[in-house]
Amino acid sequence: MVMHEYFHGFQFKNDGYLETYETITNTVLPDTLIALAACHGWYKESITQENDLLLKAIDASDIEASRAYIQSFFELRNERRERVKKELCINIVALEQLYETMEGSARYIEYCLYRHFGNFSLSDAKWLYTVGCRYYYATGFNLLRLSDKLEIDYKYGIFKDVSIIERNLRILISE
């Protein structure tokens, strides 16, 4: 956990990341995602289904199966985001991408350290990849794991553009 928090310091040392954080969180309050998941059952259900699709894409044995799960993931995600925008008049896209990048990559560092320094089994650490009230930790972590599995290079620009992970996966399914 200490390294998770130190990693946040590293993130904010990247040129432009603090400005991106401030711009996005000045538009939509940071706790918005937590409140939406807590107050709307349909939102929480969609998040759980989206995360399940990410896990299936990670576990899929071939690229075509992964693509199908990723396609379904984006269909659900787009529906949820559109519903929030239409019914609640909140555009959460940038905020969700920001927090998935920020917290998902910090969680990914924890995961790498666990694997490197100990007798670690991911199946014994379900909290890393299953959703809770701060779901973007798990979905962000799983988006990075999926990108690694599919050998999509995102590390060069993850803190320059918070939409890079989603964009790269959308490109993959459109090929």
Side-chain angles (χ1 to χ4, degrees):
M1 190 62 183
V2 171
M3 291 308 294
H4 175 112
E5 297 306 327
Y6 273 128
F7 192 72
H8 288 317
F10 168 77
Q11 292 167 338
F12 285 106
K13 291 288 186 185
N14 283 272
D15 288 341
Y17 194 72
L18 180 59
E19 291 81 14
T20 299
Y21 176 86
E22 289 174 342
T23 299
I24 292 170
T25 58
N26 282 336
T27 306
V28 183
L29 295 174
D31 288 344
T32 299
L33 301 176
I34 297 168
L36 288 169
C39 296
H40 301 283
W42 56 266
Y43 189 96
K44 177 72 170 160
E45 182 179 331
S46 182
I47 291 297
T48 301
Q49 291 173 359
E50 290 167 38
N51 194 58
D52 289 345
L53 288 165
L54 288 175
L55 293 173
K56 288 177 181 176
I58 291 167
D59 290 339
S61 58
D62 65 76
I63 186 72
E64 291 311 314
S66 287
R67 277 190 173 134
Y69 289 124
I70 295 166
Q71 179 69 39
S72 295
F73 163 79
F74 280 123
E75 288 170 3
L76 266 178
R77 176 163 275 204
N78 292 345
E79 287 173 19
R80 177 179 51 80
R81 287 174 172 175
E82 283 301 315
R83 185 171 179 183
V84 169
K85 190 173 183 179
K86 182 180 177 185
E87 292 180 14
L88 306 171
C89 302
I90 306 168
N91 185 342
I92 61 166
V93 174
L95 185 67
E96 194 164 58
Q97 291 171 337
L98 171 72
Y99 274 93
E100 284 179 332
T101 299
M102 183 170 58
E103 297 299 353
S105 62
R107 181 162 282 182
Y108 188 78
I109 292 300
E110 286 181 69
Y111 165 69
C112 291
L113 290 168
Y114 290 140
R115 285 185 13 206
H116 181 73
F117 288 111
N119 183 11
F120 177 76
S121 169
L122 187 60
S123 62
D124 293 334
K126 289 185 179 6
W127 60 272
L128 281 171
Y129 58 89
T130 57
V131 294
C133 65
R134 289 180 169 88
Y135 67 88
Y136 40 82
Y137 283 74
T139 54
F141 173 64
N142 290 328
L143 284 164
L144 295 181
R145 290 176 49 217
L146 178 59
S147 296
D148 281 349
K149 175 201 173 180
L150 299 172
E151 299 178 349
I152 298 172
D153 187 16
Y154 61 88
K155 295 172 182 137
Y156 67 92
I158 191 170
F159 302 121
K160 293 178 180 22
D161 179 2
V162 296
S163 68
I164 195 168
I165 302 297
E166 279 193 27
R167 187 173 58 253
N168 286 344
L169 288 171
R170 288 179 191 276
I171 290 168
L172 175 81
I173 62 173
S174 69
E175 293 177 340

